[in-house]
């Protein structure tokens, strides 16, 4: 069974500080996908990134960066120089490619609420 | 490009009543998903459609929940009768048939059962 753990329930940082959101996953599949989504107060889930299990390269997109380490089953998300607009709930999610019959069930963690204080 | 549309945005009902939610996916997206997000938790998949066929409904409480996507576009999710524990946000998402891993979510419907 697949499982995603986001141990940090809430984090508060002062604007311009860097912050890292942790994500640890469990899966028996060798082929899987990892995701990060942002959920602002408006409620919509906004797709941020997808990585497949065969690509351990770290990725940077502007102030966002992701560190994928299969050895520790972690997929951490860092925001550099945080801004007030980054305040949201961030979800890490996992999808096993072998879910069967085209099912692409996303298993989400419980989320980390990030508050960036001006 | 218009996003995933959902209505209503908010709904308050009493337990044992019925309720229905509507979702209109992004144009051209063959795959549609309904998720339930209970306060303080991540979304949980209820059902996945590919066009008008069900791909996965393993976590749908079929004794009270039903969903349909008759023409392969819009979808409705119904709860009958509602229980207190059904209070949650119901999210609809859609994706292209060949990019099912890239799901786009609607704003959700917040249901409160009293």
């Amino acid at each position: 069974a697949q499982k995603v753990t986001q141990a940090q329930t809430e984090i508060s940082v002062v604007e311009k500080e860097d912050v890292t959101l942790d994500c640890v996953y469990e899966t028996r599949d060798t082929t899987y996908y990892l995701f990060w989504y942002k959920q602002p107060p408006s409620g919509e889930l906004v797709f941020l990134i997808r990585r497949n299990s065969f690509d351990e390269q770290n990725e940077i997109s502007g102030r966002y960066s992701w560190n994928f380490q299969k050895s520790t089953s972690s997929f951490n998300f860092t925001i550099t120089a945080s801004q007030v607009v980054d305040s949201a709930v961030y979800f890490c999610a996992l999808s096993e490619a072998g879910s069967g019959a085209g099912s692409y069930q996303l298993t989400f963690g419980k989320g980390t609420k990030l508050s960036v204080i001006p | 490009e218009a996003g995933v549309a959902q209505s209503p945005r908010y709904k308050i009902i009493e337990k044992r009543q019925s309720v229905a939610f509507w979702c209109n996916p992004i144009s051209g997206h063959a795959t549609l998903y309904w998720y339930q997000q209970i306060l303080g938790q991540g979304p949980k998949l209820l059902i996945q459609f590919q066009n008008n066929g069900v791909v996965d409904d393993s976590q749908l409480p079929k004794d009270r929940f039903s969903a349909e996507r008759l023409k392969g576009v819009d979808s409705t999710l119904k709860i009958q009768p509602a229980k207190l524990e059904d209070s949650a946000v119901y999210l609809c998402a859609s994706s292209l048939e060949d990019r099912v891993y890239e799901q786009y979510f609607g704003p959700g419907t917040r249901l409160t059962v009293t």
Side-chain angles (χ1 to χ4, degrees):
Chain A
Q2 53 191 25
K3 183 180 177 182
V4 176
T5 302
Q6 295 180 256
Q8 305 149 308
T9 306
E10 292 192 42
I11 300 177
S12 290
V13 298
V14 176
E15 200 171 19
K16 296 183 184 177
E17 285 185 346
D18 299 347
V19 59
T20 295
L21 309 182
D22 298 332
C23 173
V24 175
Y25 63 92
E26 294 177 30
T27 177
R28 293 178 183 174
D29 274 18
T30 55
T31 303
Y32 53 89
Y33 297 89
L34 294 164
F35 305 78
W36 276 96
Y37 282 86
K38 175 182 180 179
Q39 189 172 45
S42 60
E44 285 186 46
L45 278 164
V46 178
F47 169 82
L48 295 178
I49 189 172
R50 174 184 68 92
R51 305 297 284 175
N52 71 54
S53 52
F54 299 108
D55 184 0
E56 282 193 78
Q57 277 194 334
N58 292 331
E59 182 156 339
I60 298 174
S61 176
R63 296 183 297 107
Y64 296 170
S65 63
W66 292 269
N67 185 309
F68 176 26
Q69 291 194 340
K70 288 179 74 171
S71 60
T72 56
S73 297
S74 65
F75 187 43
N76 297 337
F77 173 30
T78 297
I79 301 175
T80 303
S82 59
Q83 299 177 1
V84 173
V85 293
D86 296 328
S87 296
V89 179
Y90 291 85
F91 290 96
C92 181
L94 166 71
S95 178
E96 294 173 338
S99 296
S103 173
Y104 244 91
Q105 181 177 146
L106 284 170
T107 296
F108 286 83
K110 292 189 175 182
T112 297
K113 182 178 181 180
L114 174 65
S115 298
V116 181
I117 304 165
Chain B
E1 180 183 272
V4 176
Q6 290 186 249
S7 68
R9 291 296 310 277
Y10 305 92
K11 189 74 176 179
I12 300 174
I13 62 172
E14 295 182 353
K15 58 184 179 183
R16 292 188 288 273
Q17 285 187 325
S18 301
V19 65
F21 312 128
W22 173 83
C23 172
N24 182 240
I26 292 173
S27 178
H29 282 196
T31 311
L32 185 147
Y33 314 77
W34 282 102
Y35 288 85
Q36 179 193 58
Q37 185 177 16
I38 292 172
L39 185 65
Q41 297 185 20
K44 181 185 81 172
L45 180 70
L46 293 176
I47 189 167
Q48 176 186 343
F49 290 97
Q50 185 82 358
N51 296 304
N52 59 351
V54 175
V55 174
D56 184 350
D57 63 356
S58 57
Q59 298 193 92
L60 186 74
K62 298 180 185 65
D63 58 334
R64 298 182 301 107
F65 286 65
S66 64
E68 59 183 15
R69 193 183 184 200
L70 294 175
K71 296 182 179 179
V73 181
D74 294 7
S75 176
T76 56
L77 176 69
K78 297 178 182 178
I79 307 175
Q80 180 180 9
K83 293 185 175 181
L84 295 176
E85 58 261 37
D86 297 332
S87 294
V89 175
Y90 291 84
L91 294 162
C92 180
S94 70
S95 66
L96 290 169
E97 188 168 356
D98 59 347
R99 292 177 72 86
V100 289
Y101 45 77
E102 197 165 310
Q103 299 178 24
Y104 294 85
F105 285 80
T109 296
R110 183 176 297 276
L111 173 67
T112 302
V113 182
T114 64

